[in-house]
Amino acid sequence: MPFGTVTLNDGNEFPMIAFGTGSTMKFKDVTDYVGQAIDNGFSHIDTAEYYRTETYVGLAIKESGLPRSSLYITTKYSSGKSPRQSIQQSLNKLGLSYVDMYLVHFPALFSDFESGWQEFEKMKKDGLTRSIGVSNFTLEDLQKLMKTAVTKPAVNQVRFHPYNYASHKALLDYCAKQSITVEAYGSLNSITQNPGGPVDAVVNAAAKRIGASPNQVILSWVRSKGVAIVTTSRSKERLQEYLAVEDLPPLTAEEIAAIDDAGAKGPPSQLVVARLAMQHKFERSSSLVMWLAIAIIFGFATFFVARAEALD
């Protein structure tokens, strides 16, 4: 069963899983990878001005031979140019007359939230994009934007995984109250970039029960929060693995809570630092500084090794 859609606050339908061309894909020719994703069932493709992949996404769309209506295209405003100038350039690269979703990539791109968002509202009204949204906006950013917005952001795309869920609860609650759909990127980081952390054991237990992979359990957990997904891979098998999440038995409330609780403990490197700090009762001794430095170096080393192993 394919991933479904959610109705956005503007009435448009939004596919709940997207193939992303950022992360390890950005600055590269992704034509074949986007084509592979489309062939395997991804209808939602996520790109951005900053990624420099829009031209290749456009080529893959053309080569697919599919009607425009069967694909959902998200891109993002990432430059210092005016939003209208940027979207026109993005449309030219994509070979499209409109995108389905246009996001503000980072809040810092708006020197003035009111006038910046008004440009987005005008582009939606003019048909250059069907929906407008934001990315990497905090609760405070959204509250500031909402003070003057006529059209609410339809989506807020943020980094989201078990290790930052606790810090994102207030943001998720606010988005739910405002009918803003949250879309997650980086969700698999909790196990690909932080191996050996407290999340691993509970995820592995759930995976064993439902006959799934740890990756699938994490994506199921994301879905349990009502959050959409952006993910990526160069591997056809991985893409099929991700799409098969919808066919798996749901996680139990106890399994979801266990992942929440494990994530709240923090990733491995943070645990090492916390334990050392408690052991030495926060004394400012040279040995503590040394051990903290070792813990931080160990954390970075683990990150880069895991990231290298995760590149598929």
Side-chain angles (χ1 to χ4, degrees):
M1 180 177 69
F3 267 73
T5 63
V6 63
T7 303
L8 300 174
N9 58 25
D10 62 6
N12 292 321
E13 294 298 311
F14 185 74
M16 290 296 284
I17 191 168
F19 177 81
T21 60
S23 183
T24 62
M25 296 279 182
K26 61 181 178 287
F27 315 140
K28 296 180 176 65
D29 183 342
V30 298
T31 309
D32 291 342
Y33 298 125
V34 175
Q36 177 176 254
I38 292 172
D39 289 344
N40 280 276
F42 281 84
S43 63
H44 183 179
I45 307 299
D46 181 281
T47 182
E49 186 178 18
Y50 169 69
Y51 300 159
R52 301 179 192 172
T53 56
E54 291 171 319
T55 298
Y56 305 118
V57 170
L59 288 172
I61 292 171
K62 184 177 181 180
E63 290 176 2
S64 75
L66 294 174
R68 175 66 181 90
S69 58
S70 67
L71 293 171
Y72 191 102
I73 307 301
T74 292
T75 193
K76 308 176 191 75
Y77 168 60
S78 310
S79 73
K81 299 188 290 286
S82 74
R84 184 170 289 266
Q85 183 182 3
S86 291
I87 196 172
Q88 290 286 7
Q89 291 179 352
S90 291
L91 291 173
N92 290 339
K93 291 176 182 178
L94 289 163
L96 302 175
S97 60
Y98 70 92
V99 289
D100 297 280
M101 177 67 70
Y102 197 51
L103 304 178
V104 184
H105 208 158
F106 303 100
L109 291 166
F110 279 169
S111 58
D112 177 68
F113 274 38
E114 182 176 4
S115 61
W117 190 246
Q118 283 176 350
E119 290 193 64
F120 269 64
E121 292 172 329
K122 290 176 184 176
M123 292 189 296
K124 174 176 167 58
K125 185 177 180 180
D126 293 344
L128 298 177
T129 179
R130 296 282 176 86
S131 298
I132 51 178
V134 297
S135 180
N136 299 300
F137 270 50
T138 64
L139 173 58
E140 293 73 21
D141 293 327
L142 278 178
Q143 290 172 329
K144 181 179 178 181
L145 180 65
M146 292 291 286
K147 287 180 180 179
T148 58
V150 175
T151 302
K152 292 181 180 181
V155 163
N156 185 17
Q157 186 183 113
V158 297
R159 184 182 299 276
F160 180 71
H161 50 73
Y163 288 127
N164 71 5
Y165 170 60
S167 64
H168 275 49
K169 281 183 179 179
L171 175 63
L172 265 63
D173 289 343
Y174 180 80
C175 286
K177 290 177 182 177
Q178 298 294 335
S179 300
I180 298 171
T181 297
V182 177
E183 185 179 25
Y185 68 87
S187 296
L188 298 178
N189 289 359
S190 55
I191 54 177
T192 60
Q193 296 186 6
N194 292 287
V199 164
D200 288 23
V202 291
V203 165
N204 290 337
K208 183 177 181 180
R209 183 188 69 81
I210 64 176
S213 69
N215 285 341
Q216 289 176 318
V217 171
I218 291 292
L219 296 184
S220 293
W221 174 84
V222 173
R223 292 289 294 110
S224 76
K225 303 301 181 184
V227 174
I229 297 165
V230 180
T231 190
T232 194
S233 179
R234 292 174 172 82
S235 164
K236 174 182 176 180
E237 290 72 27
R238 282 288 177 85
L239 297 180
Q240 292 172 343
E241 174 188 342
Y242 301 156
L243 291 173
V245 166
E246 288 293 272
D247 296 321
L248 295 171
L251 299 177
T252 65
E254 292 75 17
E255 288 168 334
I256 294 168
I259 295 173
D260 295 352
D261 293 342
K265 296 175 182 177
S269 58
Q270 291 183 14
L271 287 173
V272 172
V273 173
R275 286 169 182 164
L276 284 170
M278 289 178 66
Q279 179 181 344
H280 291 272
K281 298 180 180 180
F282 300 98
E283 294 178 0
R284 292 182 177 273
S285 64
S286 58
S287 61
L288 175 59
V289 172
M290 179 187 70
W291 283 108
L292 287 175
I294 292 171
I296 291 169
I297 293 169
F298 173 78
F300 276 112
T302 302
F303 167 82
F304 286 112
V305 170
R307 185 174 180 83
E309 293 175 348
L311 298 182
D312 48 19

